[in-house]
PDB file of all heavy atoms in Angstrom:
ATOM      1  N   GLY A  42     119.201 134.994 121.286  1.00  0.00           N
ATOM      2  CA  GLY A  42     120.596 135.412 121.313  1.00  0.00           C
ATOM      3  C   GLY A  42     121.286 135.374 119.968  1.00  0.00           C
ATOM      4  O   GLY A  42     122.469 135.708 119.865  1.00  0.00           O
ATOM      5  N   TYR A  43     120.554 135.002 118.916  1.00  0.00           N
ATOM      6  CA  TYR A  43     121.169 134.925 117.584  1.00  0.00           C
ATOM      7  C   TYR A  43     121.544 136.311 117.075  1.00  0.00           C
ATOM      8  O   TYR A  43     120.787 137.267 117.200  1.00  0.00           O
ATOM      9  CB  TYR A  43     120.192 134.277 116.601  1.00  0.00           C
ATOM     10  CG  TYR A  43     120.633 134.355 115.153  1.00  0.00           C
ATOM     11  CD1 TYR A  43     121.563 133.468 114.642  1.00  0.00           C
ATOM     12  CD2 TYR A  43     120.116 135.340 114.303  1.00  0.00           C
ATOM     13  CE1 TYR A  43     121.971 133.535 113.317  1.00  0.00           C
ATOM     14  CE2 TYR A  43     120.503 135.412 112.969  1.00  0.00           C
ATOM     15  CZ  TYR A  43     121.444 134.506 112.484  1.00  0.00           C
ATOM     16  OH  TYR A  43     121.834 134.590 111.175  1.00  0.00           O
ATOM     17  N   ARG A  44     122.723 136.389 116.496  1.00  0.00           N
ATOM     18  CA  ARG A  44     123.156 137.592 115.804  1.00  0.00           C
ATOM     19  C   ARG A  44     123.773 137.163 114.483  1.00  0.00           C
ATOM     20  O   ARG A  44     124.681 136.322 114.463  1.00  0.00           O
ATOM     21  CB  ARG A  44     124.198 138.369 116.628  1.00  0.00           C
ATOM     22  CG  ARG A  44     123.677 138.925 117.945  1.00  0.00           C
ATOM     23  CD  ARG A  44     122.666 140.052 117.724  1.00  0.00           C
ATOM     24  NE  ARG A  44     122.233 140.631 118.992  1.00  0.00           N
ATOM     25  CZ  ARG A  44     121.238 140.164 119.730  1.00  0.00           C
ATOM     26  NH1 ARG A  44     120.571 139.087 119.340  1.00  0.00           N
ATOM     27  NH2 ARG A  44     120.906 140.752 120.860  1.00  0.00           N
ATOM     28  N   PRO A  45     123.334 137.698 113.358  1.00  0.00           N
ATOM     29  CA  PRO A  45     123.939 137.313 112.074  1.00  0.00           C
ATOM     30  C   PRO A  45     125.384 137.758 112.013  1.00  0.00           C
ATOM     31  O   PRO A  45     125.771 138.764 112.622  1.00  0.00           O
ATOM     32  CB  PRO A  45     123.079 138.050 111.047  1.00  0.00           C
ATOM     33  CG  PRO A  45     122.452 139.174 111.788  1.00  0.00           C
ATOM     34  CD  PRO A  45     122.259 138.691 113.188  1.00  0.00           C
ATOM     35  N   PRO A  46     126.224 137.018 111.289  1.00  0.00           N
ATOM     36  CA  PRO A  46     127.623 137.430 111.134  1.00  0.00           C
ATOM     37  C   PRO A  46     127.728 138.805 110.485  1.00  0.00           C
ATOM     38  O   PRO A  46     126.795 139.285 109.828  1.00  0.00           O
ATOM     39  CB  PRO A  46     128.210 136.348 110.214  1.00  0.00           C
ATOM     40  CG  PRO A  46     127.294 135.175 110.363  1.00  0.00           C
ATOM     41  CD  PRO A  46     125.937 135.756 110.604  1.00  0.00           C
ATOM     42  N   ALA A  47     128.870 139.427 110.667  1.00  0.00           N
ATOM     43  CA  ALA A  47     129.089 140.751 110.098  1.00  0.00           C
ATOM     44  C   ALA A  47     129.266 140.657 108.587  1.00  0.00           C
ATOM     45  O   ALA A  47     129.644 139.629 108.045  1.00  0.00           O
ATOM     46  CB  ALA A  47     130.331 141.381 110.739  1.00  0.00           C
ATOM     47  N   GLY A  48     128.958 141.754 107.910  1.00  0.00           N
ATOM     48  CA  GLY A  48     129.195 141.848 106.484  1.00  0.00           C
ATOM     49  C   GLY A  48     128.221 141.042 105.649  1.00  0.00           C
ATOM     50  O   GLY A  48     127.160 140.608 106.118  1.00  0.00           O
ATOM     51  N   ALA A  49     128.605 140.791 104.407  1.00  0.00           N
ATOM     52  CA  ALA A  49     127.728 140.089 103.468  1.00  0.00           C
ATOM     53  C   ALA A  49     127.435 138.665 103.919  1.00  0.00           C
ATOM     54  O   ALA A  49     126.376 138.107 103.605  1.00  0.00           O
ATOM     55  CB  ALA A  49     128.372 140.072 102.083  1.00  0.00           C
ATOM     56  N   GLU A  50     128.342 138.061 104.668  1.00  0.00           N
ATOM     57  CA  GLU A  50     128.112 136.703 105.170  1.00  0.00           C
ATOM     58  C   GLU A  50     126.855 136.632 106.034  1.00  0.00           C
ATOM     59  O   GLU A  50     126.196 135.596 106.111  1.00  0.00           O
ATOM     60  CB  GLU A  50     129.337 136.237 105.967  1.00  0.00           C
ATOM     61  CG  GLU A  50     129.304 134.782 106.376  1.00  0.00           C
ATOM     62  CD  GLU A  50     130.512 134.395 107.210  1.00  0.00           C
ATOM     63  OE1 GLU A  50     131.585 135.021 107.065  1.00  0.00           O
ATOM     64  OE2 GLU A  50     130.375 133.464 108.019  1.00  0.00           O
ATOM     65  N   GLY A  51     126.518 137.740 106.660  1.00  0.00           N
ATOM     66  CA  GLY A  51     125.329 137.779 107.503  1.00  0.00           C
ATOM     67  C   GLY A  51     124.036 137.658 106.724  1.00  0.00           C
ATOM     68  O   GLY A  51     122.965 137.438 107.312  1.00  0.00           O
ATOM     69  N   GLU A  52     124.101 137.794 105.388  1.00  0.00           N
ATOM     70  CA  GLU A  52     122.905 137.654 104.561  1.00  0.00           C
ATOM     71  C   GLU A  52     122.619 136.201 104.191  1.00  0.00           C
ATOM     72  O   GLU A  52     121.608 135.908 103.547  1.00  0.00           O
ATOM     73  CB  GLU A  52     123.064 138.475 103.270  1.00  0.00           C
ATOM     74  CG  GLU A  52     123.204 139.971 103.503  1.00  0.00           C
ATOM     75  CD  GLU A  52     123.159 140.741 102.189  1.00  0.00           C
ATOM     76  OE1 GLU A  52     122.133 140.654 101.485  1.00  0.00           O
ATOM     77  OE2 GLU A  52     124.162 141.410 101.862  1.00  0.00           O
ATOM     78  N   TYR A  53     123.485 135.279 104.583  1.00  0.00           N
ATOM     79  CA  TYR A  53     123.347 133.886 104.176  1.00  0.00           C
ATOM     80  C   TYR A  53     122.044 133.286 104.688  1.00  0.00           C
ATOM     81  O   TYR A  53     121.307 132.634 103.949  1.00  0.00           O
ATOM     82  CB  TYR A  53     124.544 133.083 104.689  1.00  0.00           C
ATOM     83  CG  TYR A  53     124.722 131.737 104.020  1.00  0.00           C
ATOM     84  CD1 TYR A  53     125.810 131.495 103.198  1.00  0.00           C
ATOM     85  CD2 TYR A  53     123.820 130.702 104.212  1.00  0.00           C
ATOM     86  CE1 TYR A  53     125.989 130.268 102.572  1.00  0.00           C
ATOM     87  CE2 TYR A  53     123.977 129.482 103.585  1.00  0.00           C
ATOM     88  CZ  TYR A  53     125.069 129.270 102.777  1.00  0.00           C
ATOM     89  OH  TYR A  53     125.222 128.050 102.158  1.00  0.00           O
ATOM     90  N   ASN A  54     121.738 133.465 105.968  1.00  0.00           N
ATOM     91  CA  ASN A  54     120.553 132.845 106.578  1.00  0.00           C
ATOM     92  C   ASN A  54     119.595 133.836 107.212  1.00  0.00           C
ATOM     93  O   ASN A  54     118.381 133.728 107.061  1.00  0.00           O
ATOM     94  CB  ASN A  54     120.988 131.821 107.646  1.00  0.00           C
ATOM     95  CG  ASN A  54     121.501 130.527 107.060  1.00  0.00           C
ATOM     96  OD1 ASN A  54     120.854 129.918 106.228  1.00  0.00           O
ATOM     97  ND2 ASN A  54     122.674 130.105 107.505  1.00  0.00           N
ATOM     98  N   GLY A  55     120.151 134.799 107.950  1.00  0.00           N
ATOM     99  CA  GLY A  55     119.315 135.642 108.787  1.00  0.00           C
ATOM    100  C   GLY A  55     118.247 136.418 108.043  1.00  0.00           C
ATOM    101  O   GLY A  55     117.139 136.623 108.555  1.00  0.00           O
ATOM    102  N   LYS A  56     118.523 136.833 106.820  1.00  0.00           N
ATOM    103  CA  LYS A  56     117.574 137.677 106.093  1.00  0.00           C
ATOM    104  C   LYS A  56     116.328 136.918 105.646  1.00  0.00           C
ATOM    105  O   LYS A  56     115.366 137.524 105.179  1.00  0.00           O
ATOM    106  CB  LYS A  56     118.274 138.304 104.887  1.00  0.00           C
ATOM    107  CG  LYS A  56     118.653 137.327 103.795  1.00  0.00           C
ATOM    108  CD  LYS A  56     119.535 137.961 102.729  1.00  0.00           C
ATOM    109  CE  LYS A  56     118.842 139.072 101.999  1.00  0.00           C
ATOM    110  NZ  LYS A  56     119.704 139.681 100.953  1.00  0.00           N
ATOM    111  N   PHE A  57     116.335 135.591 105.762  1.00  0.00           N
ATOM    112  CA  PHE A  57     115.185 134.796 105.327  1.00  0.00           C
ATOM    113  C   PHE A  57     114.272 134.382 106.479  1.00  0.00           C
ATOM    114  O   PHE A  57     113.376 133.554 106.295  1.00  0.00           O
ATOM    115  CB  PHE A  57     115.670 133.553 104.586  1.00  0.00           C
ATOM    116  CG  PHE A  57     116.434 133.877 103.335  1.00  0.00           C
ATOM    117  CD1 PHE A  57     117.803 133.704 103.277  1.00  0.00           C
ATOM    118  CD2 PHE A  57     115.782 134.388 102.226  1.00  0.00           C
ATOM    119  CE1 PHE A  57     118.512 134.021 102.131  1.00  0.00           C
ATOM    120  CE2 PHE A  57     116.477 134.708 101.073  1.00  0.00           C
ATOM    121  CZ  PHE A  57     117.843 134.526 101.029  1.00  0.00           C
ATOM    122  N   MET A  58     114.500 134.933 107.653  1.00  0.00           N
ATOM    123  CA  MET A  58     113.722 134.521 108.821  1.00  0.00           C
ATOM    124  C   MET A  58     112.369 135.216 108.861  1.00  0.00           C
ATOM    125  O   MET A  58     112.039 135.963 109.784  1.00  0.00           O
ATOM    126  CB  MET A  58     114.534 134.764 110.100  1.00  0.00           C
ATOM    127  CG  MET A  58     115.735 133.842 110.195  1.00  0.00           C
ATOM    128  SD  MET A  58     116.782 134.162 111.628  1.00  0.00           S
ATOM    129  CE  MET A  58     117.969 132.818 111.508  1.00  0.00           C
ATOM    130  N   CYS A  59     111.581 134.947 107.836  1.00  0.00           N
ATOM    131  CA  CYS A  59     110.244 135.512 107.720  1.00  0.00           C
ATOM    132  C   CYS A  59     109.480 134.712 106.664  1.00  0.00           C
ATOM    133  O   CYS A  59     110.016 134.429 105.586  1.00  0.00           O
ATOM    134  CB  CYS A  59     110.318 136.984 107.316  1.00  0.00           C
ATOM    135  SG  CYS A  59     108.724 137.797 107.111  1.00  0.00           S
ATOM    136  N   ASN A  60     108.251 134.312 106.980  1.00  0.00           N
ATOM    137  CA  ASN A  60     107.371 133.640 106.018  1.00  0.00           C
ATOM    138  C   ASN A  60     107.921 132.307 105.505  1.00  0.00           C
ATOM    139  O   ASN A  60     107.670 131.917 104.370  1.00  0.00           O
ATOM    140  CB  ASN A  60     107.070 134.554 104.822  1.00  0.00           C
ATOM    141  CG  ASN A  60     106.392 135.844 105.238  1.00  0.00           C
ATOM    142  OD1 ASN A  60     105.633 135.876 106.207  1.00  0.00           O
ATOM    143  ND2 ASN A  60     106.679 136.914 104.524  1.00  0.00           N
ATOM    144  N   GLN A  61     108.686 131.622 106.334  1.00  0.00           N
ATOM    145  CA  GLN A  61     109.232 130.307 105.975  1.00  0.00           C
ATOM    146  C   GLN A  61     108.927 129.321 107.102  1.00  0.00           C
ATOM    147  O   GLN A  61     108.785 129.704 108.256  1.00  0.00           O
ATOM    148  CB  GLN A  61     110.754 130.384 105.784  1.00  0.00           C
ATOM    149  CG  GLN A  61     111.240 131.589 105.029  1.00  0.00           C
ATOM    150  CD  GLN A  61     111.613 131.295 103.585  1.00  0.00           C
ATOM    151  OE1 GLN A  61     111.511 130.159 103.132  1.00  0.00           O
ATOM    152  NE2 GLN A  61     112.031 132.309 102.864  1.00  0.00           N
ATOM    153  N   MET A  62     108.874 128.036 106.742  1.00  0.00           N
ATOM    154  CA  MET A  62     108.685 126.977 107.724  1.00  0.00           C
ATOM    155  C   MET A  62     109.924 126.090 107.748  1.00  0.00           C
ATOM    156  O   MET A  62     110.598 125.911 106.736  1.00  0.00           O
ATOM    157  CB  MET A  62     107.443 126.147 107.404  1.00  0.00           C
ATOM    158  CG  MET A  62     106.152 126.946 107.324  1.00  0.00           C
ATOM    159  SD  MET A  62     105.729 127.849 108.848  1.00  0.00           S
ATOM    160  CE  MET A  62     105.363 126.489 109.967  1.00  0.00           C
ATOM    161  N   VAL A  63     110.211 125.502 108.916  1.00  0.00           N
ATOM    162  CA  VAL A  63     111.419 124.703 109.105  1.00  0.00           C
ATOM    163  C   VAL A  63     111.167 123.249 108.716  1.00  0.00           C
ATOM    164  O   VAL A  63     110.127 122.669 109.047  1.00  0.00           O
ATOM    165  CB  VAL A  63     111.900 124.776 110.570  1.00  0.00           C
ATOM    166  CG1 VAL A  63     113.070 123.821 110.802  1.00  0.00           C
ATOM    167  CG2 VAL A  63     112.298 126.199 110.928  1.00  0.00           C
ATOM    168  N   LEU A  64     112.138 122.670 108.011  1.00  0.00           N
ATOM    169  CA  LEU A  64     112.159 121.242 107.714  1.00  0.00           C
ATOM    170  C   LEU A  64     113.415 120.635 108.325  1.00  0.00           C
ATOM    171  O   LEU A  64     114.449 121.301 108.439  1.00  0.00           O
ATOM    172  CB  LEU A  64     112.156 120.974 106.210  1.00  0.00           C
ATOM    173  CG  LEU A  64     111.013 121.563 105.391  1.00  0.00           C
ATOM    174  CD1 LEU A  64     111.403 122.928 104.825  1.00  0.00           C
ATOM    175  CD2 LEU A  64     110.613 120.627 104.255  1.00  0.00           C
ATOM    176  N   ARG A  65     113.322 119.372 108.692  1.00  0.00           N
ATOM    177  CA  ARG A  65     114.449 118.703 109.334  1.00  0.00           C
ATOM    178  C   ARG A  65     114.754 117.357 108.658  1.00  0.00           C
ATOM    179  O   ARG A  65     113.898 116.759 108.011  1.00  0.00           O
ATOM    180  CB  ARG A  65     114.134 118.457 110.813  1.00  0.00           C
ATOM    181  CG  ARG A  65     113.988 119.704 111.689  1.00  0.00           C
ATOM    182  CD  ARG A  65     115.297 120.478 111.795  1.00  0.00           C
ATOM    183  NE  ARG A  65     115.271 121.443 112.877  1.00  0.00           N
ATOM    184  CZ  ARG A  65     116.039 121.372 113.964  1.00  0.00           C
ATOM    185  NH1 ARG A  65     116.899 120.372 114.113  1.00  0.00           N
ATOM    186  NH2 ARG A  65     115.965 122.285 114.912  1.00  0.00           N
ATOM    187  N   GLY A  66     115.989 116.889 108.824  1.00  0.00           N
ATOM    188  CA  GLY A  66     116.323 115.515 108.524  1.00  0.00           C
ATOM    189  C   GLY A  66     117.006 115.202 107.213  1.00  0.00           C
ATOM    190  O   GLY A  66     117.553 114.127 107.040  1.00  0.00           O
ATOM    191  N   GLY A  67     116.961 116.095 106.225  1.00  0.00           N
ATOM    192  CA  GLY A  67     117.597 115.796 104.948  1.00  0.00           C
ATOM    193  C   GLY A  67     116.739 114.926 104.052  1.00  0.00           C
ATOM    194  O   GLY A  67     115.697 114.409 104.472  1.00  0.00           O
ATOM    195  N   SER A  68     117.177 114.757 102.813  1.00  0.00           N
ATOM    196  CA  SER A  68     116.417 113.980 101.841  1.00  0.00           C
ATOM    197  C   SER A  68     117.342 113.057 101.065  1.00  0.00           C
ATOM    198  O   SER A  68     118.558 113.023 101.301  1.00  0.00           O
ATOM    199  CB  SER A  68     115.691 114.914 100.867  1.00  0.00           C
ATOM    200  OG  SER A  68     116.562 115.364  99.843  1.00  0.00           O
ATOM    201  N   CYS A  69     116.751 112.344 100.119  1.00  0.00           N
ATOM    202  CA  CYS A  69     117.529 111.451  99.252  1.00  0.00           C
ATOM    203  C   CYS A  69     118.460 112.203  98.322  1.00  0.00           C
ATOM    204  O   CYS A  69     119.249 111.578  97.602  1.00  0.00           O
ATOM    205  CB  CYS A  69     116.581 110.569  98.444  1.00  0.00           C
ATOM    206  SG  CYS A  69     115.319 111.492  97.516  1.00  0.00           S
ATOM    207  N   ALA A  70     118.423 113.524  98.334  1.00  0.00           N
ATOM    208  CA  ALA A  70     119.329 114.336  97.514  1.00  0.00           C
ATOM    209  C   ALA A  70     120.264 115.187  98.367  1.00  0.00           C
ATOM    210  O   ALA A  70     120.975 116.047  97.844  1.00  0.00           O
ATOM    211  CB  ALA A  70     118.532 115.239  96.576  1.00  0.00           C
ATOM    212  N   THR A  71     120.295 114.953  99.681  1.00  0.00           N
ATOM    213  CA  THR A  71     121.160 115.703 100.584  1.00  0.00           C
ATOM    214  C   THR A  71     122.494 114.983 100.747  1.00  0.00           C
ATOM    215  O   THR A  71     122.506 113.778 101.030  1.00  0.00           O
ATOM    216  CB  THR A  71     120.506 115.837 101.975  1.00  0.00           C
ATOM    217  OG1 THR A  71     119.218 116.437 101.841  1.00  0.00           O
ATOM    218  CG2 THR A  71     121.365 116.688 102.895  1.00  0.00           C
ATOM    219  N   PRO A  72     123.636 115.645 100.574  1.00  0.00           N
ATOM    220  CA  PRO A  72     124.932 114.985 100.780  1.00  0.00           C
ATOM    221  C   PRO A  72     125.084 114.463 102.215  1.00  0.00           C
ATOM    222  O   PRO A  72     124.646 115.104 103.172  1.00  0.00           O
ATOM    223  CB  PRO A  72     125.946 116.094 100.485  1.00  0.00           C
ATOM    224  CG  PRO A  72     125.226 117.015  99.551  1.00  0.00           C
ATOM    225  CD  PRO A  72     123.800 117.000 100.028  1.00  0.00           C
ATOM    226  N   ARG A  73     125.703 113.309 102.336  1.00  0.00           N
ATOM    227  CA  ARG A  73     125.803 112.630 103.637  1.00  0.00           C
ATOM    228  C   ARG A  73     126.529 113.463 104.678  1.00  0.00           C
ATOM    229  O   ARG A  73     126.113 113.539 105.830  1.00  0.00           O
ATOM    230  CB  ARG A  73     126.512 111.281 103.445  1.00  0.00           C
ATOM    231  CG  ARG A  73     126.477 110.381 104.673  1.00  0.00           C
ATOM    232  CD  ARG A  73     127.070 109.005 104.374  1.00  0.00           C
ATOM    233  NE  ARG A  73     126.455 108.405 103.198  1.00  0.00           N
ATOM    234  CZ  ARG A  73     125.262 107.799 103.191  1.00  0.00           C
ATOM    235  NH1 ARG A  73     124.572 107.714 104.315  1.00  0.00           N
ATOM    236  NH2 ARG A  73     124.771 107.300 102.078  1.00  0.00           N
ATOM    237  N   SER A  74     127.638 114.090 104.296  1.00  0.00           N
ATOM    238  CA  SER A  74     128.421 114.848 105.277  1.00  0.00           C
ATOM    239  C   SER A  74     127.790 116.199 105.594  1.00  0.00           C
ATOM    240  O   SER A  74     128.324 116.956 106.411  1.00  0.00           O
ATOM    241  CB  SER A  74     129.850 115.054 104.756  1.00  0.00           C
ATOM    242  OG  SER A  74     129.838 115.836 103.571  1.00  0.00           O
ATOM    243  N   HIS A  75     126.675 116.501 104.967  1.00  0.00           N
ATOM    244  CA  HIS A  75     126.066 117.817 105.108  1.00  0.00           C
ATOM    245  C   HIS A  75     124.973 117.851 106.177  1.00  0.00           C
ATOM    246  O   HIS A  75     124.661 118.914 106.703  1.00  0.00           O
ATOM    247  CB  HIS A  75     125.470 118.232 103.761  1.00  0.00           C
ATOM    248  CG  HIS A  75     124.985 119.640 103.689  1.00  0.00           C
ATOM    249  ND1 HIS A  75     125.829 120.728 103.767  1.00  0.00           N
ATOM    250  CD2 HIS A  75     123.736 120.155 103.551  1.00  0.00           C
ATOM    251  CE1 HIS A  75     125.130 121.842 103.682  1.00  0.00           C
ATOM    252  NE2 HIS A  75     123.860 121.527 103.550  1.00  0.00           N
ATOM    253  N   ILE A  76     124.390 116.706 106.505  1.00  0.00           N
ATOM    254  CA  ILE A  76     123.211 116.690 107.362  1.00  0.00           C
ATOM    255  C   ILE A  76     123.578 116.332 108.808  1.00  0.00           C
ATOM    256  O   ILE A  76     124.558 115.624 109.052  1.00  0.00           O
ATOM    257  CB  ILE A  76     122.153 115.702 106.806  1.00  0.00           C
ATOM    258  CG1 ILE A  76     120.797 115.931 107.469  1.00  0.00           C
ATOM    259  CG2 ILE A  76     122.623 114.252 106.951  1.00  0.00           C
ATOM    260  CD1 ILE A  76     120.214 117.298 107.239  1.00  0.00           C
ATOM    261  N   ARG A  77     122.822 116.829 109.750  1.00  0.00           N
ATOM    262  CA  ARG A  77     123.004 116.565 111.175  1.00  0.00           C
ATOM    263  C   ARG A  77     121.701 116.888 111.875  1.00  0.00           C
ATOM    264  O   ARG A  77     120.808 117.533 111.312  1.00  0.00           O
ATOM    265  CB  ARG A  77     124.158 117.395 111.744  1.00  0.00           C
ATOM    266  CG  ARG A  77     123.995 118.869 111.497  1.00  0.00           C
ATOM    267  CD  ARG A  77     125.280 119.661 111.650  1.00  0.00           C
ATOM    268  NE  ARG A  77     125.111 120.977 110.984  1.00  0.00           N
ATOM    269  CZ  ARG A  77     125.438 121.205 109.726  1.00  0.00           C
ATOM    270  NH1 ARG A  77     125.967 120.242 108.989  1.00  0.00           N
ATOM    271  NH2 ARG A  77     125.234 122.386 109.182  1.00  0.00           N
ATOM    272  N   LYS A  78     121.575 116.496 113.146  1.00  0.00           N
ATOM    273  CA  LYS A  78     120.287 116.654 113.827  1.00  0.00           C
ATOM    274  C   LYS A  78     119.921 118.105 114.094  1.00  0.00           C
ATOM    275  O   LYS A  78     118.745 118.433 114.253  1.00  0.00           O
ATOM    276  CB  LYS A  78     120.271 115.850 115.142  1.00  0.00           C
ATOM    277  CG  LYS A  78     121.247 116.294 116.201  1.00  0.00           C
ATOM    278  CD  LYS A  78     121.169 115.384 117.426  1.00  0.00           C
ATOM    279  CE  LYS A  78     122.218 115.713 118.463  1.00  0.00           C
ATOM    280  NZ  LYS A  78     122.068 117.034 119.077  1.00  0.00           N
ATOM    281  N   SER A  79     120.900 118.999 114.116  1.00  0.00           N
ATOM    282  CA  SER A  79     120.588 120.411 114.387  1.00  0.00           C
ATOM    283  C   SER A  79     120.342 121.219 113.117  1.00  0.00           C
ATOM    284  O   SER A  79     120.017 122.403 113.184  1.00  0.00           O
ATOM    285  CB  SER A  79     121.731 121.053 115.183  1.00  0.00           C
ATOM    286  OG  SER A  79     122.943 121.027 114.442  1.00  0.00           O
ATOM    287  N   TYR A  80     120.468 120.571 111.940  1.00  0.00           N
ATOM    288  CA  TYR A  80     120.360 121.280 110.654  1.00  0.00           C
ATOM    289  C   TYR A  80     118.936 121.786 110.450  1.00  0.00           C
ATOM    290  O   TYR A  80     117.969 121.036 110.574  1.00  0.00           O
ATOM    291  CB  TYR A  80     120.738 120.328 109.524  1.00  0.00           C
ATOM    292  CG  TYR A  80     120.960 121.005 108.180  1.00  0.00           C
ATOM    293  CD1 TYR A  80     122.250 121.163 107.681  1.00  0.00           C
ATOM    294  CD2 TYR A  80     119.904 121.471 107.417  1.00  0.00           C
ATOM    295  CE1 TYR A  80     122.473 121.768 106.452  1.00  0.00           C
ATOM    296  CE2 TYR A  80     120.113 122.076 106.186  1.00  0.00           C
ATOM    297  CZ  TYR A  80     121.404 122.219 105.715  1.00  0.00           C
ATOM    298  OH  TYR A  80     121.613 122.823 104.501  1.00  0.00           O
ATOM    299  N   ARG A  81     118.817 123.069 110.087  1.00  0.00           N
ATOM    300  CA  ARG A  81     117.513 123.695 109.863  1.00  0.00           C
ATOM    301  C   ARG A  81     117.374 124.105 108.400  1.00  0.00           C
ATOM    302  O   ARG A  81     117.996 125.068 107.965  1.00  0.00           O
ATOM    303  CB  ARG A  81     117.347 124.938 110.750  1.00  0.00           C
ATOM    304  CG  ARG A  81     117.599 124.706 112.230  1.00  0.00           C
ATOM    305  CD  ARG A  81     117.574 126.031 112.981  1.00  0.00           C
ATOM    306  NE  ARG A  81     116.227 126.537 113.177  1.00  0.00           N
ATOM    307  CZ  ARG A  81     115.931 127.813 113.443  1.00  0.00           C
ATOM    308  NH1 ARG A  81     116.903 128.727 113.476  1.00  0.00           N
ATOM    309  NH2 ARG A  81     114.679 128.178 113.637  1.00  0.00           N
ATOM    310  N   ASN A  82     116.567 123.373 107.656  1.00  0.00           N
ATOM    311  CA  ASN A  82     116.218 123.804 106.312  1.00  0.00           C
ATOM    312  C   ASN A  82     114.955 124.649 106.399  1.00  0.00           C
ATOM    313  O   ASN A  82     114.198 124.547 107.382  1.00  0.00           O
ATOM    314  CB  ASN A  82     115.997 122.596 105.396  1.00  0.00           C
ATOM    315  CG  ASN A  82     116.142 122.939 103.925  1.00  0.00           C
ATOM    316  OD1 ASN A  82     116.352 124.096 103.549  1.00  0.00           O
ATOM    317  ND2 ASN A  82     116.011 121.938 103.070  1.00  0.00           N
ATOM    318  N   PHE A  83     114.683 125.441 105.380  1.00  0.00           N
ATOM    319  CA  PHE A  83     113.501 126.312 105.450  1.00  0.00           C
ATOM    320  C   PHE A  83     113.028 126.645 104.048  1.00  0.00           C
ATOM    321  O   PHE A  83     113.822 126.850 103.132  1.00  0.00           O
ATOM    322  CB  PHE A  83     113.818 127.598 106.228  1.00  0.00           C
ATOM    323  CG  PHE A  83     115.040 128.330 105.733  1.00  0.00           C
ATOM    324  CD1 PHE A  83     114.934 129.327 104.768  1.00  0.00           C
ATOM    325  CD2 PHE A  83     116.295 128.026 106.233  1.00  0.00           C
ATOM    326  CE1 PHE A  83     116.059 130.010 104.311  1.00  0.00           C
ATOM    327  CE2 PHE A  83     117.439 128.702 105.779  1.00  0.00           C
ATOM    328  CZ  PHE A  83     117.314 129.696 104.818  1.00  0.00           C
ATOM    329  N   PHE A  84     111.713 126.659 103.894  1.00  0.00           N
ATOM    330  CA  PHE A  84     111.086 127.012 102.624  1.00  0.00           C
ATOM    331  C   PHE A  84     109.729 127.643 102.899  1.00  0.00           C
ATOM    332  O   PHE A  84     109.127 127.404 103.959  1.00  0.00           O
ATOM    333  CB  PHE A  84     110.900 125.779 101.723  1.00  0.00           C
ATOM    334  CG  PHE A  84     112.147 125.341 101.020  1.00  0.00           C
ATOM    335  CD1 PHE A  84     112.854 124.235 101.455  1.00  0.00           C
ATOM    336  CD2 PHE A  84     112.628 126.046  99.917  1.00  0.00           C
ATOM    337  CE1 PHE A  84     114.008 123.832 100.810  1.00  0.00           C
ATOM    338  CE2 PHE A  84     113.784 125.650  99.270  1.00  0.00           C
ATOM    339  CZ  PHE A  84     114.471 124.538  99.715  1.00  0.00           C
ATOM    340  N   PRO A  85     109.214 128.425 101.958  1.00  0.00           N
ATOM    341  CA  PRO A  85     107.841 128.925 102.099  1.00  0.00           C
ATOM    342  C   PRO A  85     106.859 127.755 102.172  1.00  0.00           C
ATOM    343  O   PRO A  85     107.111 126.677 101.620  1.00  0.00           O
ATOM    344  CB  PRO A  85     107.636 129.746 100.817  1.00  0.00           C
ATOM    345  CG  PRO A  85     109.017 130.114 100.372  1.00  0.00           C
ATOM    346  CD  PRO A  85     109.876 128.960 100.750  1.00  0.00           C
TER     347      PRO A  85
END
């Protein structure tokens, strides 16, 4: 059911949904107010 937002904002995340793997949980360099259990990081 995901739909990217309209306009250029829609390029923030949706365009990278290919050839990447998901990471969870944050790191020692992640800001405290930025992380949560639903947060999806992604990298090749």
Side-chain angles (χ1 to χ4, degrees):
Y43 170 80
R44 295 291 183 274
E50 188 182 333
E52 297 188 61
Y53 196 112
N54 284 309
K56 68 189 297 180
F57 298 107
M58 292 176 175
C59 179
N60 300 328
Q61 318 257 0
M62 303 301 292
V63 174
L64 303 93
R65 294 295 195 114
S68 81
C69 53
T71 304
R73 189 174 308 281
S74 63
H75 189 66
I76 195 61
R77 55 198 162 268
K78 64 182 175 65
S79 62
Y80 193 106
R81 307 173 76 200
N82 201 357
F83 52 92
F84 282 104

